[in-house]
Amino acid sequence: MKLITVCGSLRFQKEIMMISEKMELQGNCVIAPIYPTNPDKDAYTEEEANILDEMHKEKIKISDAILVVNVDGYIGSSTKSEIEFAQKLNKEVIYYTDIIDDIQE
């Protein structure tokens, strides 16, 4: 069992939910991102956005690995910084595009 934090653009909510479920069914403990309850993407204050960013980094710190949901190879700037953060901590980095075919079988 691994403790895995999922990273990726919130535009991939469907894929994040699907891969999180599949990874848990394989015996992993998965920490998924927080999804905004307000559809206005600018609903968070700068302070709130910083808190959410820091909490996501805390999730990465306690994890064995991160799972980057990079649909069609897309990695945004926030996700890129999360990958770099995880690598500095010597965390395993798993890419959605590398495992999706194996997971779907």
Side-chain angles (χ1 to χ4, degrees):
M1 179 195 81
K2 290 182 186 177
L3 178 58
I4 301 170
T5 294
V6 179
C7 302
S9 173
L10 295 181
R11 72 176 79 172
F12 302 132
Q13 180 177 1
K14 177 182 159 196
E15 291 86 353
I16 288 172
M17 292 173 63
M18 183 271 302
I19 196 72
S20 295
E21 178 184 44
K22 298 277 187 188
M23 295 299 285
E24 286 225 357
L25 288 170
Q26 289 187 344
N28 298 289
C29 183
V30 177
I31 303 172
I34 297 295
Y35 287 94
T37 55
N38 187 329
D40 178 7
K41 70 177 184 170
D42 296 321
Y44 293 117
T45 65
E46 184 176 342
E47 180 182 5
E48 290 171 329
N50 288 336
I51 289 169
L52 291 174
D53 183 55
E54 278 304 307
M55 293 303 98
H56 196 69
K57 287 181 178 168
E58 290 298 319
K59 293 172 188 176
I60 293 170
K61 284 181 187 177
I62 65 171
S63 295
D64 300 309
I66 65 169
L67 172 58
V68 179
V69 179
N70 59 329
V71 176
D72 296 326
Y74 177 80
I75 296 175
S77 59
S78 292
T79 303
K80 185 176 186 233
S81 72
E82 292 163 359
I83 294 167
E84 292 168 354
F85 183 74
Q87 288 172 329
K88 285 180 186 174
L89 297 173
N90 295 315
K91 304 294 179 174
E92 179 182 4
V93 179
I94 305 163
Y95 291 91
Y96 173 85
T97 52
D98 290 342
I99 65 167
I100 190 59
D101 290 337
D102 294 336
I103 296 288
Q104 289 179 339
E105 292 176 356

